[in-house]
Amino acid sequence: MNAILVGVDGSDAATSAVRWAAKAAAAEHLDLKIVSAYDASTSDYAPGLIIPQDVIDAIRQDASDAVHAAAEVARQVAPGVSVTTSIVDGDAARVLLELGKDAPLIVVGTRHLGSVKGLFLGSVSINVAAHAHGRVAIVAGDGIDDGPVVVGVDGSPVSDAAVAEAFRQASLRNAPLIAVHTWSPLDADALHGYGISREEVERMTGDSVEVLAERLAGYSQDYPDVRVERRVLPDEPAKALLDAAVGAQLIVVGSRGRGGFRGLLLGSTSQKVIHNALCPVLVVRT
């Protein structure tokens, strides 16, 4: 499947996701597939309930209207991108995960809301990000087109995958890259409280700057057009990323997932960033 997959439900959040996905498809020279899932099944709490056919028809029509409106938006944003649409009966997250198994990217929107209207692109966005095996973009609002790309760097293989993708995205977007590395989850004031001197904090920060420069050197050679700003500090990783992303157009994070649930691939830092970011977040797997 050589098409970016984007899920829609007729909400403003979905429209923002479609705009972002259409621009991404144009930049990466990919097609765009827009899907809306509708679930006409009954709840486990009312297994004997029979849903009237006219209600099912109305739900299906809403889904159809949503994908056609989204397709019109996509064609306006990226006229040169091939757009296809689909409506599928089933649980939204499962539909996106199944259809997106071979997709180069899955895109969903979010309003950071838990309301019933926001369920498709609220809890669904987290479920897709947590269980997909490829790239997933979670889009909050329309974002900023000319801001920097921000990436978290910790030296792990997961982080390396995110860094490689961040350089690629920065190059595609002709944007500067901010690489953030935190060498301690405690900020400087907390470290001073534990008896670590200001000079020692500065020394460890300096050492980490050198390590970060070494880790980025290869990518900088591959993407000489990308201007890189390095931010090295003691701080909680998600907070440092979100602080650096003020005015950014994209945050790129890796995800290793250390939870006890099989198939749950979203780590705690990625979850915190997704829940709080005001710009799109791209989750990258190794």
Side-chain angles (χ1 to χ4, degrees):
M1 180 180 181
N2 199 34
I4 291 175
L5 180 69
V6 56
V8 301
D9 68 348
S11 67
D12 291 341
T15 301
S16 295
V18 168
R19 290 194 189 99
W20 190 91
K23 293 175 184 177
E28 299 194 28
H29 305 291
L30 296 170
D31 297 337
L32 182 65
K33 183 177 180 63
I34 301 171
V35 62
S36 182
Y38 69 96
D39 192 350
S41 64
T42 60
S43 165
D44 290 339
Y45 294 102
L49 179 66
I50 298 176
I51 299 178
Q53 185 61 44
D54 58 343
V55 173
I56 295 175
D57 291 343
I59 293 172
R60 181 181 174 86
Q61 187 60 50
D62 283 347
S64 179
D65 292 345
V67 295
H68 287 113
E72 182 61 29
V73 169
R75 293 185 179 106
Q76 291 174 2
V77 170
V81 171
S82 174
V83 179
T84 58
T85 63
S86 178
I87 58 173
V88 182
D89 182 3
D91 174 77
R94 289 176 182 164
V95 166
L96 289 173
L97 289 168
E98 180 63 28
L99 293 180
K101 283 191 300 186
D102 299 318
L105 173 64
I106 302 175
V107 182
V108 288
T110 182
R111 293 175 295 169
H112 303 310
L113 297 176
S115 66
V116 173
K117 180 62 177 174
L119 282 178
F120 184 94
L121 296 173
S123 62
V124 170
S125 63
I126 295 299
N127 285 336
V128 171
H131 294 95
H133 290 268
R135 296 184 301 160
V136 178
I138 299 92
V139 179
D142 286 329
I144 301 170
D145 287 338
D146 58 355
V149 173
V150 176
V151 64
V153 187
D154 66 8
S156 69
V158 172
S159 168
D160 287 344
V163 171
E165 179 64 15
F167 267 94
R168 192 175 79 89
Q169 290 295 326
S171 181
L172 284 171
R173 298 162 185 273
N174 193 28
L177 177 64
I178 299 176
V180 180
H181 173 67
T182 62
W183 54 266
S184 168
L186 301 176
D187 63 22
D189 289 341
L191 290 172
H192 298 333
Y194 280 100
I196 300 176
S197 68
R198 193 172 302 277
E199 291 74 19
E200 185 67 7
V201 170
E202 291 177 355
R203 184 192 66 77
M204 288 188 283
T205 298
D207 290 345
S208 296
V209 168
E210 293 182 7
V211 172
L212 178 61
E214 292 174 0
R215 298 212 61 92
L216 297 180
Y219 301 107
S220 294
Q221 291 175 0
D222 293 337
Y223 297 95
D225 58 317
V226 175
R227 178 169 57 85
V228 182
E229 175 187 342
R230 303 179 185 91
R231 295 192 185 181
V232 179
L233 69 164
D235 205 349
E236 197 278 321
K239 179 180 179 300
L241 279 170
L242 292 167
D243 287 347
V246 175
Q249 64 172 294
L250 181 67
I251 303 174
V252 182
V253 294
S255 190
R256 57 174 57 84
R258 292 177 174 173
F261 297 97
R262 183 178 180 182
L264 186 60
L265 304 177
L266 198 60
S268 60
T269 296
S270 300
Q271 290 187 54
K272 290 176 184 176
V273 171
I274 289 170
H275 278 296
N276 295 283
L278 299 179
C279 67
V281 178
L282 183 60
V283 180
V284 181
R285 315 291 184 202
T286 53

